Amino acid sequence: MESAPILDYNDVKLTRRKITDMISQTLRDARRYEETMERKIGREEKPDFHLSTRVGWMNDPNGFSYYKGEYHLFYQYHPYDSHWGPMHWGHAVSKDLLHWEYLPAALAPDMDYDRDGCFSGSAVVLPDGRHLLMYTGVAKETQPDGSARDIQTQCIAVGDGIDYEKYPGNPVLTRDDLPEGGSKFDFRDPKLWQKSDGSYRCVVGNCTEEGDGRILLFSSPDGVRWKYEKILAANEKRFGKMWECPDFFMLDGKAVLITSPQDMLPYGFEYHNGNGTLCLIGSYDEEMETFTEEHNQSIDYGIDFYAPQTILAPDGRRIMIGWMQNWDTCNLHTPDQPWLGQMTLPRELSVKNGRLYQQPIRELEALRGEEVRHENVTFSDEISLAGIEGRKVDMELTVWPADAEKLYQRFAVRFAQNDVYRTSISFRPYESIVKVDRKFSGSRRAIIHQRRCLVPNKDGNIKMRIILDRFSVEVFVNDGEYVLTATMYTDLSADRISFFADGEVTMDVVKYELK
């Protein structure tokens, strides 16, 4: 393969007009379509402060970055259908990660090397102030046995935050850059970053020809010319098969590698989602570029969470956002549904005692309206409390046994509730199990409705922060030590919240309506 031309930051200065002139008809068509069709979707039909797709289908977050004073988030996108299809990149911006403005679709499958899809990737800001996107291009290729398989390569595009030009030398990484035994069919989702010396690194998901996942590390002096460095981490048949959507960063003195393995087997109360998430925490020798893992865990223990991506915010916070959906349930809706897909609430990350903690971004507190507080409420059976209701809610509660010598059997919070519907979060202290359950949320399908996690607990004390946004719940347990996320497509008229106890408990609860 001929070497790609070097991108000279001084010589290549495309004006906005020139970039716009280079936009393909495929991308123009997608932009016209999304602008027309989004007008047919009512505001109440979507989440309020979680980013959802503009129209059609959304999956993995892409290109999470801070550029020109705004957070940019791209996403895997099929505008023409609410089911997965030829991947584009949708695009939205926000100043606070809660109020999002849609921008025109950024990428479309319009080149020979990405004609069957522009898959997941990431973004950085170049020294000359332009925005660099790195993504996976997909093109089907007929194999010797007559079958058609996706060949995956890594590509780049450069732009001004609205329009992007694909690099003439694409792809910048191909099958020729893979280590021995690497699959050209499963080589995707580059996550890049710039080092303090000005050079670039990226991690890419890959697997062996036998289907065993691994994360590859590549280097570049300029973000354009890339070369293979090493296998950063290898599955060795432990956590599922192909490892998708990697991210790698330092946090609180530890190295953190997150990825989304396919076809995972459960291990105890970990890794129950099949296509799930994995967090490896360890140490990193920057000079040798060697990662040594020390701990592993699931990232989210609920039903709907996949393909998270992080950003280092301007104020130093490491913030993560994920796709709030599950691959085993996301294609069961009817074709006439105009949209499917939303992102999680952005989460601030920290590492404590070898474990990843997650908290809702602090900006959420600015959305809080009237406070309703109840303290030292002792009860058994089911109760409702004055002012505790709604479907856009930030609610914090602490529960403990009313009698320290007599542990209760179960505690539950029920929400999105009326006489027919409810979703619940429950805790059984004797088993130390927290469970999310949406089987009565209105689903008419035998899909996944429950997930459990083991929360070490001996005394029955537990803290929960529950965030509701119309069609989703995110539960942060014990200050973010565990998180459970689930979607629920319950009629919005179901807005009651109640509390249940088998045995006697005492509870403090404070609730804010989110505006």
Side-chain angles (χ1 to χ4, degrees), residues 199-366:
S199 65
Y200 297 83
R201 297 292 184 273
C202 79
V203 285
V204 185
N206 184 230
C207 65
T208 66
E209 292 175 347
E210 292 74 35
D212 199 23
R214 56 191 186 179
I215 303 301
L216 308 181
L217 179 69
F218 295 86
S219 68
S220 171
D222 55 12
V224 178
R225 297 168 293 165
W226 290 91
K227 69 173 184 175
Y228 169 73
E229 291 291 340
K230 66 196 310 178
I231 298 171
L232 185 68
N235 184 25
E236 297 174 348
K237 301 181 179 180
R238 296 173 298 157
F239 307 109
K241 297 181 180 179
M242 169 63 185
W243 283 8
E244 296 192 304
C245 303
D247 200 344
F248 185 63
F249 50 89
M250 298 299 297
L251 181 63
D252 297 327
K254 305 302 291 185
V256 180
L257 175 64
I258 62 176
T259 186
S260 296
Q262 296 179 322
D263 301 317
M264 301 180 83
L265 289 172
Y267 181 81
F269 283 87
E270 301 280 344
Y271 316 123
H272 279 231
N273 268 346
N275 291 343
T277 54
L278 170 68
C279 175
L280 300 175
I281 298 174
S283 61
Y284 185 61
D285 183 327
E286 187 167 358
E287 182 177 350
M288 301 300 295
E289 299 192 303
T290 300
F291 171 65
T292 303
E293 62 181 81
E294 299 165 1
H295 307 279
N296 70 82
Q297 66 174 88
S298 298
I299 299 174
D300 193 290
Y301 294 81
I303 302 171
D304 295 301
F305 186 88
Y306 195 72
Q309 189 169 109
T310 74
I311 182 178
L312 183 62
D315 60 9
R317 289 177 293 167
R318 178 63 61 171
I319 299 175
M320 179 180 70
I321 195 166
W323 180 42
M324 202 190 313
Q325 196 51 257
N326 182 298
W327 278 114
D328 290 324
T329 62
C330 63
N331 277 305
L332 298 179
H333 54 285
T334 59
D336 59 349
Q337 184 170 320
W339 69 274
L340 186 114
Q342 56 182 304
M343 299 300 177
T344 64
L345 193 68
R347 302 170 182 181
E348 299 181 18
L349 303 184
S350 60
V351 173
K352 303 175 187 177
N353 301 316
R355 183 164 188 86
L356 185 72
Y357 278 66
Q358 307 165 59
Q359 291 277 27
I361 53 167
R362 62 197 67 174
E363 287 86 346
L364 186 67
E365 295 175 15

Side-chain angles (χ1 to χ4, degrees), residues 465-507:
R465 185 174 176 186
I466 300 172
I467 311 295
L468 302 178
D469 185 7
R470 289 186 178 141
F471 307 110
S472 67
V473 59
E474 293 168 89
V475 184
F476 298 81
V477 179
N478 290 343
D479 299 313
E481 185 179 11
Y482 297 84
V483 186
L484 298 94
T485 301
T487 56
M488 51 182 188
Y489 297 97
T490 310
D491 189 280
L492 291 176
S493 63
D495 64 354
R496 292 205 314 258
I497 297 173
S498 66
F499 306 91
F500 171 84
D502 181 357
E504 198 168 42
V505 304
T506 301
M507 176 181 70

Side-chain angles (χ1 to χ4, degrees), residues 422-437:
R422 71 173 185 269
T423 297
S424 68
I425 299 293
S426 62
F427 175 57
R428 295 180 180 270
Y430 280 105
E431 302 171 19
S432 295
I433 290 175
V434 173
K435 180 174 73 172
V436 58
D437 185 343

Side-chain angles (χ1 to χ4, degrees), residues 155-195:
C155 310
I156 60 174
V158 181
D160 60 1
I162 298 177
D163 298 312
Y164 294 84
E165 181 202 6
K166 293 179 181 178
Y167 179 47
N170 277 338
V172 296
L173 287 170
T174 72
R175 69 188 82 181
D176 296 332
D177 299 291
L178 288 168
E180 184 178 356
S183 170
K184 62 187 177 184
F185 309 119
D186 292 291
F187 176 37
R188 56 185 175 269
D189 312 334
K191 177 62 193 292
L192 75 164
W193 68 94
Q194 188 174 28
K195 296 185 65 176

Side-chain angles (χ1 to χ4, degrees), residues 20 29 65 93 105 134 171 185 197 227-228 242 260 270 333 336 353 367 377 379 389-390 397 455 461 469 471 492:
T20 303
D29 289 345
S65 53
V93 293
M134 190 172 188
F185 309 119
D197 65 4
K227 69 173 184 175
Y228 169 73
M242 169 63 185
S260 296
E270 301 280 344
H333 54 285
D336 59 349
N353 301 316
L367 301 189
V377 180
F379 66 99
E389 60 187 6
L397 56 91
V455 177
N461 293 321
D469 185 7
F471 307 110
L492 291 176

